[in-house]
Amino acid sequence: MTITSDLPEAGTVRLVDHLAAELARAGVTHVFGVGGANIEDFYDAVHRGGAVRGVVAKHEFSAVTMADGYARTTRRLGVVAATSGGGAMNLVPGLAEAYASQVPVLALVGQPPTGQEGHGAFQDSSGKGGSFDAGEVFTPISRFCARVEDADSFMELLPRALAAAQTDPRGPAVLLLPKDVQQARIRLPGRGPAPTPAGPAPTPGLPTSAPTVPTARLDGAALAEASNILRGADRVLVIAGEEVAAADARAELAELARSLGAWVAVTPDAKDVFDNHDPRFAGVAGVMGHANVEDCLRRADVCLLVGTRLPLLARGGLERALAATDVVSLGHARPFVPGTALGGDLRDALRAVTEALPARPHDCPQHSGPLPTLMPGPVSPPTRARTVPYTEAIAAVGAVLPQDAHVFVDAGNAGASAIHLLPAPRHGRFVVALGMGGMGYTFGAGIGAALATGRRTYVLAGDGAFFMHGMEVHTAVEYAAPVTFVIFNNNAHAMCAMREEFLQGGSRTDDLFGRTDIAAGVAAAFPSLDVTGAENAAQLRNALLRSNTGGGPAFVALDCDPQEIPPFLPFQPFAEATGSNENADSKESSDERRVVRVG
């Protein structure tokens, strides 16, 4: 490679043109971001190249979540590009989510020209001349972070960044790109042309949708120990996690469950890794889950963790039963609970354990299945005349949800209700971002998934999440993304308000707000958008049916009551104390279940 002057020279290209072509060769079809002076050359290269589509978001956080949603639904690398200064810093919470949830994202972050670093450059974050160092900001939330000092180093750093993002433990890779380096002209050895623009990617990914990375061989002793424990068990509860989706190991999980005659539960962020209608399905584990999972765990000889470390939200309420049960785990990282661990590639581990078991698939023992927890009504009289209970609203969504749709569930009371009540579509993703649990994640993520796959994508969020990042509806309208936004408006940060009520004596009302008509506001802002203010479950259902037949975005808002208690285990003892919980199937008192602390 030869670095030339700024004047165009035959046989040379801009570094950013090479970057855009390399992304296309890596299978990237979309780049998400917000422009600015120190990233504009890259966006120009994307536009001129034509093989990758640039998508302009309203905020850099949502641009990261678009790349995140793209990656989770395609199993391809998600790419986000932002300028320096505030634009760069706005990437931090989204990259933190991708880091915690191990989602492969490449962040291209523009920087001022190298000659201006340390000399008062606008938005300088080089660490020179009294400026802070952006590398020190991004390093803790990335698998790889590097400042590109010149074109020669870029040619070495780009492959390293791509590999780091897509190798376990996966996550963000960050390249800090000064403007003059982006503009540098380079001469490349003979290369074939970049691919033509790609169409929507499948879900889950085809074998070519994820990089081919050498996998470590399974540990023979650990495989033998895990297999022996499982062979000796009469009753097994499997708890499966998000790594099953990331590894595209659903078929291997189902086969192992058949061989074991096991019940199968899922973590809150992995509802789609096992068919929710299968007779083996026990429900969701943890604080937003089903009592049947704990019942199956108490009856089990072995608890087999597959693709999950079983963090607090997934094990809350199960600690006593886990302590009394042998635990075996399959996955690249050891779990947070003690047990026998088999690391390495998850698909390889599932296949190896299945092959080590007797070839006699059988049914699982009888169980009650994922029966919903019966929660009381609002803890005080309804604050408005026309509110739709979560159970009715979620049932309306479930009745019309296409089985190849994607579902993105945001944080809060509405999210807890959806995780508990809504079956995952059989052939789409059901995504809950629990790495950081940030409100507003779904708006960008749903758009990224919809644009990447072309599938109808549902975003289920509360009004709190909407007011944080809901203006990405504008992006959905601009790009005709097939996203259905469903906003459960209780005019509150209701989960916070309930914590204040239950845990702090209810002495303040900071998180209860005046009424807003979100549907009317969105309809006024976006005249071309199909907007419905649903006053009951039937109107919600009809609006969703209409959205399913359309090609672009749709928006539905409905009023819910901020006093309605969601199926969230930390609130259950307080709900029982109201005397209105008539769940006759409960086998334990609230004293036995204890208050589960989350936060």
Side-chain angles (χ1 to χ4, degrees):
M1 180 191 73
T2 302
I3 303 179
T4 70
S5 69
D6 290 338
L7 295 176
E9 179 181 333
T12 67
V13 298
R14 293 179 302 172
L15 182 144
V16 287
D17 295 312
H18 172 64
L19 170 56
E22 287 301 295
L23 293 177
R25 288 189 179 93
V28 174
T29 59
H30 294 71
V31 170
F32 307 93
V34 180
N38 286 325
I39 200 64
E40 63 190 1
D41 298 284
F42 172 68
Y43 278 106
D44 179 68
V46 168
H47 173 74
R48 292 175 183 272
V52 178
R53 185 182 188 188
V55 177
V56 177
K58 308 286 90 63
H59 191 280
E60 290 84 0
F61 168 78
S62 291
V64 181
T65 67
M66 289 177 193
D68 179 303
Y70 172 104
R72 294 198 203 216
T73 51
T74 66
R75 297 183 58 246
R76 296 182 180 183
L77 177 72
V79 180
V80 61
T83 193
S84 49
M89 295 302 99
N90 284 341
L91 297 173
V92 169
L95 292 178
E97 168 60 40
Y99 180 89
S101 293
Q102 301 189 7
V103 180
V105 171
L106 173 66
L108 304 170
V109 185
Q111 297 285 278
T114 55
Q116 298 178 12
E117 293 176 350
H119 297 284
F122 180 59
Q123 299 181 332
D124 189 1
S125 58
S126 65
K128 302 174 182 177
S131 66
F132 74 91
D133 188 344
E136 294 184 357
V137 174
F138 289 114
T139 293
I141 53 172
S142 63
R143 306 299 177 189
F144 179 87
C145 179
R147 182 180 297 274
V148 181
E149 301 292 351
D150 51 46
D152 283 321
S153 64
F154 172 80
M155 303 302 285
E156 181 260 333
L157 291 171
L158 177 61
R160 289 177 60 190
L162 294 174
Q166 299 174 93
T167 303
D168 287 334
R170 303 177 310 157
V174 179
L175 290 178
L176 302 171
L177 296 168
K179 185 177 179 69
D180 57 320
V181 175
Q182 296 177 54
Q183 295 173 328
R185 300 196 68 85
I186 59 176
R187 180 176 288 114
L188 299 171
R191 297 287 296 270
T196 56
T203 303
L206 294 173
T208 58
S209 65
T212 301
V213 179
T215 57
R217 297 184 63 180
L218 299 176
D219 181 271
L223 173 60
E225 183 178 3
S227 301
N228 287 337
I229 293 172
L230 292 170
R231 272 196 300 267
D234 291 325
R235 294 180 175 181
V236 176
L237 171 66
V238 174
I239 302 179
E242 165 66 14
E243 190 183 346
V244 176
D248 195 18
R250 293 174 177 84
E252 289 80 3
L253 170 64
E255 182 60 29
L256 178 57
R258 285 191 292 269
S259 297
L260 290 170
W263 302 295
V264 180
V266 295
T267 58
D269 59 346
K271 241 192 141 170
D272 59 5
V273 303
F274 192 80
D275 185 354
N276 292 188
H277 302 280
D278 190 291
R280 302 180 190 280
F281 184 61
V284 177
V287 298
M288 291 168 277
H290 301 95
N292 180 57
V293 174
E294 182 179 1
D295 182 60
C296 290
L297 180 58
R298 292 185 183 279
R299 295 166 60 193
D301 303 307
V302 174
C303 178
L304 173 61
L305 307 180
V306 178
T308 178
R309 301 184 69 192
L310 212 63
L312 180 60
L313 290 183
R315 72 175 187 271
L318 302 178
E319 288 93 340
R320 288 183 179 178
L322 282 166
T325 308
D326 288 336
V327 174
V328 174
S329 74
L330 309 181
H332 76 268
R334 295 189 69 90
F336 295 113
V337 295
T340 300
L342 174 59
D345 180 78
L346 183 59
R347 295 178 77 180
D348 288 347
L350 287 165
R351 290 167 179 165
V353 171
T354 301
E355 291 172 0
L357 297 174
R360 54 171 192 273
H362 54 287
D363 294 335
C364 67
Q366 291 293 316
H367 63 119
S368 63
L371 296 177
T373 300
L374 299 180
M375 302 299 289
V379 295
S380 63
T383 56
R384 290 178 300 280
R386 291 192 297 269
T387 59
V388 183
Y390 289 129
T391 53
E392 295 181 16
I394 298 299
V397 174
V400 301
L401 182 67
Q403 288 303 298
D404 64 347
H406 303 305
V407 178
F408 284 79
V409 177
D410 221 298
N413 285 1
S417 299
I419 291 168
H420 190 79
L421 298 169
L422 182 63
R426 282 190 168 96
H427 309 295
R429 292 298 329 263
F430 189 106
V431 176
V432 186
L434 293 182
M436 289 288 103
M439 292 171 65
Y441 161 89
T442 58
F443 293 93
I447 292 169
L451 292 176
T453 66
R455 298 189 186 185
R456 176 57 52 182
T457 300
Y458 275 54
V459 166
L460 308 182
D463 55 304
F466 172 79
F467 285 121
M468 288 191 178
H469 291 286
M471 281 300 99
E472 292 302 334
V473 169
H474 180 277
T475 308
V477 172
E478 286 292 302
Y479 293 91
V483 182
T484 300
F485 300 95
V486 184
I487 309 302
F488 301 81
N489 181 16
N490 53 29
N491 294 287
H493 289 165
M495 186 166 282
C496 295
M498 286 192 171
R499 292 179 64 87
E500 293 155 12
E501 173 74 20
F502 294 145
L503 304 177
Q504 297 181 328
S507 60
R508 56 192 175 94
T509 58
D510 308 44
D511 289 301
L512 298 174
F513 313 132
R515 185 178 185 275
T516 55
D517 190 339
I518 293 176
V522 170
F526 305 105
S528 66
L529 180 62
D530 180 2
V531 178
T532 301
E535 297 183 356
N536 52 55
Q539 291 181 8
L540 170 61
R541 182 178 182 275
N542 289 337
L544 298 179
L545 283 171
R546 189 169 63 251
S547 79
N548 290 343
T549 61
F555 189 96
V556 188
L558 62 150
D559 283 349
C560 300
D561 197 290
Q563 301 295 331
E564 182 177 353
I565 302 175
F568 187 57
L569 191 57
F571 295 162
Q572 189 166 333
F574 303 100
E576 292 170 350
T578 67
S580 57
N581 190 340
E582 302 297 336
N583 185 357
D585 293 329
S586 176
K587 297 181 179 179
E588 295 182 306
S589 69
S590 60
D591 179 66
E592 289 172 319
R593 293 186 65 86
R594 306 176 317 285
V595 176
V596 177
R597 299 282 181 176
V598 178

